[in-house]
Structure formats: C-alpha cells, structure tokens
Amino acid sequence: MLKKYYLILFLLVTSLFSLNNIGNAQTLRFGFEITDNQRKVNIPFKIYSNLIVVDVLFEGVIPLKFIVDTGVSNTVLIDKLYSDILDIVPDRKISLIGAAGGKEVEAYIVNSVSVQLEGIAGENIPLLVLKEDYLKLEETIGIKIHGILGYDLFRNFIVKVNYATEVLTFYDPLKFNRSLNWFNQMEMVIESSKPYIEIPVTMSDSTSILAKLLIDTGASHSFMLHTNSEKNIKIPDKSLRDDLGAGIAGNIEGYVGRINNIKVGDYVLEDVISTFPDKGTYNDVIEATGRQGTIGGGVLKRFKLFFDYGNEKLYYRKNRNFKDSFDYDMSGLNVIAKGEMFLAPYYEIESVKENTPAAKVDLRPKDILISLNGNKGSNLSLSYINKTLSKKEGKRIRMRVKRNSKFVDVEFYLKELI
C-alpha cells in the first residue's frame, strides 16, 4: 500500500531566496500566458495518487510530465539530466535541506527557460534544478515525474481544477465573465506565494480548533496536522506509526490516524485520515507561517475548485467524489514500483508492518508481486494494488510473490489498522 506522500519543502542553507528576484529577471518579461489571445484554455490532466500530472514541453523540445503543485513557490526540474541534455548552463549552485532537516542536497538556479502546456506558453521562467532525482516519485506513483509547476503557473490566471473530469481550465482574469454565484467562496490568503485558508477542525477527542492550512495540490495525503503548532492537536489514540513522506533530504516519519471532521464552509467531511509528522520536522515553516497543517489531494479531489490568486479567493463546491470514504491500507504492506516505468515496471514490497495481516503470512521486503487476486502482469498497477489493499475489512486477498528464485502463495484478510 502506498505510504509515501509527495512532501517537499525547500530551505536554503545559505540564505532565503526568490527566483523571481535573481539576476536580471526583473528586467525581463516572463511568466505563463494563454496563447492566441484566447479567453480560456482547457488542459487535461491525469490523477496519480491524488496528484495532478500534466504534459509539458520543456525548452520547446522535450515532452515531460510535471505535477501541478500549489504548495511550492517555483518551477522545479527534478532531475538535472534533462537540462544537461539541452546544454543549459546553470546560473549558480545552491544547497537545500528538506522539511526533516539533516542532509544537504545540491540544486541549481537557471534564470530563464521555456515551459509550454497545451494552449499556454511560459517564457523566461525561473527554474530550480535538482542535481539528481532525490524524490524518486515513480516508485510511489508508478510513472516517471520530471518536474513541478507551482506559483508561477497560478499567478496570472483564474484556475479551475475539476478533479472529477480531470481538466484544468485557465482563464484570463481580464476576460473572465463567468458567474460563480452557484459556488461557495472563502478568503484565501497568499503568503510567500502559497495559498492558505482557515477552517474548523474537530479532533478525535472532540476538541475543535480553527486551523490555518496550506492548500497543497502537490500532497497526495488527505490532511496533515502539526502537533507542535497547537496544544489541542493530538495524535488519536488509534493511530499507526508510519513513513509519511519522501522529501529531498530523507523520509518524514510520524503517525496516521483519523480525526472526527473538517468543515469546508457548509460542507462537512467526517472520519478524515490525517497524518501527524514527528515534532521538530516542520519547526521552521510553522514558525514562519503560523500554520497548523495542510489540506492535500485526498480532500481536494472531492471538490470543484476555482483559484483566484489575484483577489485571494477560493471558490468551491462538492463533486461526485465527495461522499467517498477515506480509505487506508488494511494489509500492512508498502508496495513500490520498480524497473523501467515506460517498458516493464514491476512491483516490490518495500516494507511490512508488524502485527498486520501481511506480516502474519510472512510476506517480506524485497518480495516481488506476481499476482493479486488473480490479476497479474500488465493488469497490475500501483493504483489497482493500493485500492485492492484498502477496500474493506474482511476482504480476502490472494497474492503470489517471487522471493529470490521461488514463488510463494499467500492468503489473508484485510483488517482496519486505524
């Protein structure tokens, strides 16, 4: 079961920075614009692990896949390989640390590149380039991800995110004449190029707080709360120790549990799964922003959303996903994708939690998944595996794995772990 979420926080070791203020960027006309003087443009996307993934053309030459992420400030190229192919010379090198602190990693700043989407041209875009693919998102998503589009993509438009139809619509604000009276709206504050809202949250012990939350389309989890940001945020009694996220400088550890509910305007979502990173993990960002947590894709996918960064408004209404239950792994397995994503991916057990159904039948890390409930080969995908292993308590699971040179057949029943 997928347990690693897209959690990434860039902090400079040397100094804080804004790519928009580097070098001669201020003298250039840069940013994303709708082409051909159109009023709006529709861009299809695919959802992988609650993340929005779009096709882009990098430097007018290389087709790549980028995550659309309201939780990051800048456009990011995850692997320097692609800038090297085009002989793009970085303007300078920097060092980064992640949300968990610790290990430094290298990255580079490129003042100006071209990034195009269907119907949208991005010229003179400042770019942060990671020295190598530290995140390895393909292991937890199942496809190769090359980059991230953040604030630069949202700043010049009104953006509709329709998770149900998997379409992004970008509107020219000066030509926007659509009525949003049938949508609810709330104040959305843009701080350091990231969107925040405040909503009521009821914990598992029925304590209520008004939480300041980052809206993060680049987080595949449903909800995150920081126990070191508010005294009434407590880890539920029924919780599970887990690996919460893959960041640029290592994994983020913590707990997973359910909270009673969250209220988005008049909408109430109950029995919401929330992650609780270990204290100390986000100290710097909590101190800088005063936030209590994050709303991720597991909640956002239940709404049709309009982001209006210019007027700091969020418009929303529920979609057909609204009543879906908040599911979580019931097997004890963490399965990742390995091999060549475009040719012959295979799926491997990365870890097995103690005292879980999978542990009791002696499934082990490094076991390669051959079949799951009769499905094998090309019929397997991370999405299918994750959904099958989190479906409902008591469901029978039949699994064949390859362990070294032997095949092992097991059978177990799913059990609620949180």
Side-chain angles (χ1 to χ4, degrees), residues 129-168:
V129 183
L130 302 186
K131 181 181 179 181
E132 58 186 84
D133 185 358
Y134 302 110
L135 294 168
K136 300 189 183 303
L137 292 171
E138 68 269 23
E139 290 190 353
T140 55
I141 296 176
I143 65 165
K144 179 68 175 177
I145 297 295
H146 306 98
I148 305 163
L149 295 167
Y151 173 73
D152 286 341
L153 183 61
F154 282 81
R155 62 186 300 185
N156 295 333
F157 308 108
I158 295 174
V159 182
K160 179 174 71 172
V161 182
N162 194 332
Y163 281 92
T165 62
E166 298 187 356
V167 173
L168 294 170

Side-chain angles (χ1 to χ4, degrees), residues 21-238:
N21 294 322
I22 292 173
N24 63 353
Q26 289 178 326
T27 65
L28 298 174
R29 181 183 180 186
F30 65 90
F32 290 93
E33 295 181 347
I34 297 175
T35 59
D36 299 328
N37 201 33
Q38 298 180 81
R39 180 179 66 87
K40 68 175 183 178
V41 61
N42 293 317
I43 296 178
F45 65 86
K46 294 293 185 182
I47 297 176
Y48 297 93
S49 301
N50 297 328
L51 303 177
I52 298 170
V53 178
V54 296
D55 294 321
V56 307
L57 192 64
F58 183 67
E59 285 290 272
V61 177
I62 304 179
L64 301 177
K65 293 189 181 296
F66 277 46
I67 291 172
V68 176
D69 187 353
T70 56
V72 299
S73 300
N74 306 109
T75 303
V76 180
L77 189 65
I78 288 176
D79 194 336
K80 189 171 179 289
L81 168 67
Y82 299 99
S83 58
D84 288 344
I85 290 173
L86 298 176
D87 293 323
I88 296 173
V89 179
D91 292 279
R92 67 185 178 107
K93 182 170 73 173
I94 60 174
S95 296
L96 306 173
I97 59 174
K103 181 179 69 175
E104 298 180 12
V105 299
E106 292 184 10
Y108 302 87
I109 292 172
V110 178
N111 283 344
S112 177
V113 297
S114 166
V115 181
Q116 298 175 332
L117 294 83
E118 185 178 346
I120 292 180
E123 301 296 336
N124 297 317
I125 303 298
L127 184 71
L128 181 67
V129 183
L130 302 186
K131 181 181 179 181
E132 58 186 84
D133 185 358
Y134 302 110
L135 294 168
K136 300 189 183 303
L137 292 171
E138 68 269 23
E139 290 190 353
T140 55
I141 296 176
I143 65 165
K144 179 68 175 177
I145 297 295
H146 306 98
I148 305 163
L149 295 167
Y151 173 73
D152 286 341
L153 183 61
F154 282 81
R155 62 186 300 185
N156 295 333
F157 308 108
I158 295 174
V159 182
K160 179 174 71 172
V161 182
N162 194 332
Y163 281 92
T165 62
E166 298 187 356
V167 173
L168 294 170
T169 305
F170 293 83
Y171 296 87
D172 182 339
L174 298 179
K175 301 175 183 178
F176 186 76
N177 56 12
R178 175 172 178 171
S179 173
L180 295 176
N181 291 335
W182 52 303
F183 278 73
N184 296 295
Q185 67 170 294
M186 67 170 63
E187 299 297 318
M188 177 182 68
V189 178
I190 307 298
E191 296 179 1
S192 299
S193 69
K194 298 177 183 179
Y196 293 86
I197 58 173
E198 290 189 346
I199 63 170
V201 177
T202 303
M203 305 302 297
S204 60
D205 63 359
S206 298
T207 302
S208 294
I209 64 169
L210 183 64
K212 179 181 179 180
L213 303 167
L214 171 67
I215 305 174
D216 192 355
T217 61
S220 62
H221 62 251
S222 293
F223 211 68
M224 175 190 289
L225 289 169
H226 304 300
T227 56
N228 49 333
S229 69
E230 157 68 51
K231 65 179 181 179
N232 290 318
I233 296 178
K234 298 175 182 178
I235 299 171
D237 291 336
K238 189 176 181 181

Side-chain angles (χ1 to χ4, degrees), residues 319-331:
N319 64 20
R320 62 178 181 238
N321 304 322
F322 185 79
K323 293 185 178 181
D324 290 352
S325 60
F326 287 90
D327 296 327
Y328 198 74
D329 169 57
M330 299 185 191
S331 69

Side-chain angles (χ1 to χ4, degrees), residues 1-32:
M1 176 61 186
L2 176 67
K3 291 297 191 305
K4 291 187 178 178
Y5 308 98
Y6 176 66
L7 302 173
I8 183 168
L9 171 67
F10 294 134
L11 297 176
L12 276 185
V13 174
T14 53
S15 62
L16 297 177
F17 80 106
S18 169
L19 293 181
N20 292 341
N21 294 322
I22 292 173
N24 63 353
Q26 289 178 326
T27 65
L28 298 174
R29 181 183 180 186
F30 65 90
F32 290 93

